[in-house]
Amino acid sequence: MSMITLALSKGRIFDETLPLLAAAGIEVLEDPEKSRKLILPTNQPDVRVVLVRATDVPTYVEYGGADLGVTGKDTLIEHGGQGLYQPLDLRIAKCRVSVAVRDDFDYAQAVKKGSRLKVATKYTSIARDFFASKGVHVDMVKLYGSMELAPLIGLSDAIVDLVSTGNTLKANHLVEVERIMDISSHLVVNQAALKLKQAPLRRIIDAFASAIPAPKN
Ligand code: AMP
């Protein structure tokens, strides 16, 4: 029996993947919030979970360090998706990628065609494409976290970041001025593994498909 390795990141993606695993009869035997282990066993001897940084999930799956993984569309776009089979939108960990500015900043004026805008983000690829489509020149400041701080201390005019409830923006006197795209997490599978371990992977993919939450209206 060959081992199946699933890459997940801690937090929302891990929590919201558990019901999908349950549909496949898979139960993770340790709580990542309590354990420091990076490889978690499951009730299925041939299935294990590895915990990696959210942005590393596509890389682990691409190079076969994991057979499959769950990753946000935002992360997938920034990674490029090379070598990954993407069979399912799991409709979990939903949020959006938006542009936000200080509430006293005149965004409409700042994005007049041909203007320049200083943008801080970890989503440089999404931000670049978005502003290019509007004909706005961007000076990009690449950050890895706490993007909300950048406009407050004059590091940038705008940020491109994930927004869920909007509470983080509000708490920092920022306003969402444009919604770039809706985001949810997707199942990604290593293409070689899909051929070599076809039966067990298909079983997991089909169980996940049957347990995807229904769209909310
Ligand atoms: P909120 O205050 O609910 O709008 O959440 C915004 C903060 O949570 C930002 O710092 C985001 O980077 C982060 N965030 C929101 N949704 C997600 C998600 N689905 N995955 C990862 N981070 C998220």
Side-chain angles (χ1 to χ4, degrees):
M1 209 190 288
S2 56
M3 178 63 86
I4 300 294
T5 303
L6 168 66
L8 296 176
S9 51
K10 278 208 253 188
R12 225 176 135 183
I13 287 180
F14 183 90
D15 298 344
E16 296 186 26
T17 300
L18 290 183
L20 302 173
L21 285 169
I26 300 165
E27 191 191 328
V28 183
L29 296 177
E30 281 191 68
D31 177 354
E33 300 302 332
K34 292 185 184 132
S35 163
R36 303 187 75 113
K37 281 190 190 166
L38 298 174
I39 301 179
L40 307 179
T42 73
N43 65 331
Q44 311 274 326
D46 59 335
V47 180
R48 63 182 178 177
V49 169
V50 292
L51 295 176
V52 303
R53 278 287 290 263
T55 45
D56 291 335
V57 168
T59 308
Y60 271 84
V61 176
E62 176 187 359
Y63 293 108
D67 300 300
L68 68 179
V70 176
T71 183
K73 189 73 188 170
D74 50 324
T75 305
L76 208 43
I77 291 173
E78 291 295 326
H79 168 270
Q82 316 87 301
L84 300 175
Y85 171 54
Q86 303 173 27
L88 296 175
D89 177 355
L90 301 174
R91 298 209 289 255
I92 59 169
K94 285 184 168 184
C95 58
R96 54 196 185 268
V97 179
S98 292
V99 182
V101 297
R102 276 170 59 149
D103 55 15
D104 58 359
F105 181 79
D106 188 352
Y107 180 74
Q109 181 62 33
V111 292
K112 291 242 165 80
K113 228 182 171 67
S115 60
R116 293 196 85 84
L117 191 72
K118 209 165 183 190
V119 176
T121 187
K122 89 177 161 187
Y123 302 108
T124 50
S125 166
I126 293 172
R128 210 176 290 288
D129 287 353
F130 178 72
F131 286 108
S133 75
K134 296 167 73 75
V136 174
H137 301 282
V138 164
D139 294 318
M140 199 73 72
V141 180
K142 166 94 190 188
L143 293 177
Y144 293 87
S146 300
M147 265 80 81
E148 296 86 358
L149 185 58
L152 302 182
I153 54 161
L155 189 64
S156 72
D157 303 315
I159 61 169
V160 168
D161 193 12
L162 299 182
V163 179
S164 179
T165 62
N167 290 339
T168 307
L169 294 181
K170 200 178 285 174
N172 292 293
H173 307 286
L174 300 174
V175 286
E176 184 177 4
V177 285
E178 298 212 60
R179 182 188 276 236
I180 300 180
M181 63 177 73
D182 288 324
I183 298 293
S184 56
S185 287
H186 288 240
L187 184 65
V188 294
V189 184
N190 177 277
Q191 284 176 341
L194 191 63
K195 296 197 184 84
L196 296 169
K197 306 177 185 178
Q198 196 169 15
L201 287 177
R202 273 285 158 212
R203 196 181 66 75
I204 293 172
I205 295 167
D206 291 346
F208 273 34
S210 75
I212 292 174
K216 283 193 202 85
N217 293 312

